[in-house]
Amino acid sequence: GRWGEVARETKETQVSVNVNLDGTGICNCDTGIPFLDHMLDQLSSHGLFDLDIKAKGDLHIDDHHTNEDVALALGTAVLKALGDRKGITRFGNFSAPLDEALVHVVLDLSGRPFLAYEVDIPTERVGTYDTQLVEHFFQSLVNTSGMTLHIRQLAGKNSHHIIEATFKAFARALRQATEFDARRQGSIPSSKGVLSRA
């Protein structure tokens, strides 16, 4: 399997992430933020990634630092797991519905971090989770993984449904992008001959 392991420690959080891109969808995530754990489970289940994520943070203040640092560490772990990216499909494209919600995700494992986020979540919270943190999660993940990521909401009224559809669409797009393209025969999917952050 293609594994990436990261430990991140600051004055605000302690985070460990282990990801297997060639897994079977086993999720063992405990961030202290129940809704985030639920979304990470969607990422694992629909991406077929094995995720082991543990986080302890300053949740007595709010969820911001923990949400951010989990995403930063996850992005770094994905970057490590991808290695030189030889033979991968590189691009991913998926639309996921959840009842009335529909979200479209397109991504490129290009080495160039960019996020376009067009999602309108109607409530400020889902449970105790601040819905502003969804965009911040993906921005943080993009920053360290070096992916180009476009997320566009096509429909939706229920905040939970919109966010969950976003994570499911992202999971399937990332799964598609990280899978091997047999016709590539192990070559790097770039006319430059290299895909890297440098």
Side-chain angles (χ1 to χ4, degrees):
R2 291 170 293 168
W3 291 88
E5 188 171 2
V6 172
R8 176 183 173 86
E9 185 168 346
T10 71
K11 291 181 179 179
E12 299 162 340
T13 65
Q14 294 175 309
V15 178
S16 66
V17 172
N18 199 316
V19 59
N20 177 10
L21 297 179
D22 302 311
T24 58
I26 298 170
C27 184
N28 185 17
C29 295
D30 182 6
T31 66
I33 306 172
F35 187 76
L36 180 59
D37 290 344
H38 179 44
M39 292 304 103
L40 292 170
D41 188 49
Q42 303 309 308
L43 177 57
S44 175
S45 177
H46 294 282
L48 292 179
F49 309 122
D50 292 344
L51 289 180
D52 192 312
I53 301 176
K54 299 290 181 289
K56 293 183 179 179
D58 53 1
L59 300 180
H60 60 285
I61 296 175
D62 66 10
D63 294 347
H64 184 98
H65 297 139
T66 302
N67 180 87
E68 177 181 32
D69 287 358
V70 165
L72 289 170
L74 178 59
T76 303
V78 169
L79 180 70
K80 288 184 174 183
L82 284 169
D84 58 16
R85 310 182 193 204
K86 286 182 178 178
I88 65 168
T89 301
R90 176 178 165 177
F91 299 97
N93 175 19
F94 201 85
S95 294
L98 180 54
D99 296 347
E100 89 299 341
L102 178 63
V103 177
H104 184 58
V105 169
V106 180
L107 62 84
D108 177 9
L109 299 176
S110 60
R112 297 184 301 274
F114 179 82
L115 175 67
Y117 180 87
E118 298 178 30
V119 181
D120 183 19
I121 303 171
T123 63
E124 292 183 359
R125 295 191 177 274
V126 173
T128 60
Y129 187 76
D130 181 351
T131 55
Q132 291 184 89
L133 295 180
V134 177
E135 180 176 7
H136 194 57
F137 178 90
F138 284 107
Q139 184 64 70
S140 300
L141 189 148
V142 159
N143 288 346
T144 51
S145 66
M147 73 173 68
T148 295
L149 176 61
H150 290 256
I151 302 173
R152 181 172 297 174
Q153 176 188 342
L154 303 179
K157 296 180 180 179
N158 180 281
S159 297
H160 189 133
H161 292 171
I162 293 165
I163 299 169
E164 188 166 331
T166 299
F167 274 83
K168 286 178 176 177
F170 174 71
R172 288 299 299 266
L174 185 60
R175 172 180 162 187
Q176 185 181 50
T178 58
E179 285 179 342
F180 290 108
D181 180 349
R183 292 181 62 195
R184 283 258 164 229
Q185 298 182 346
S187 66
I188 293 173
S190 172
S191 58
K192 298 176 183 178
V194 63
L195 284 174
S196 70
R197 292 295 309 276

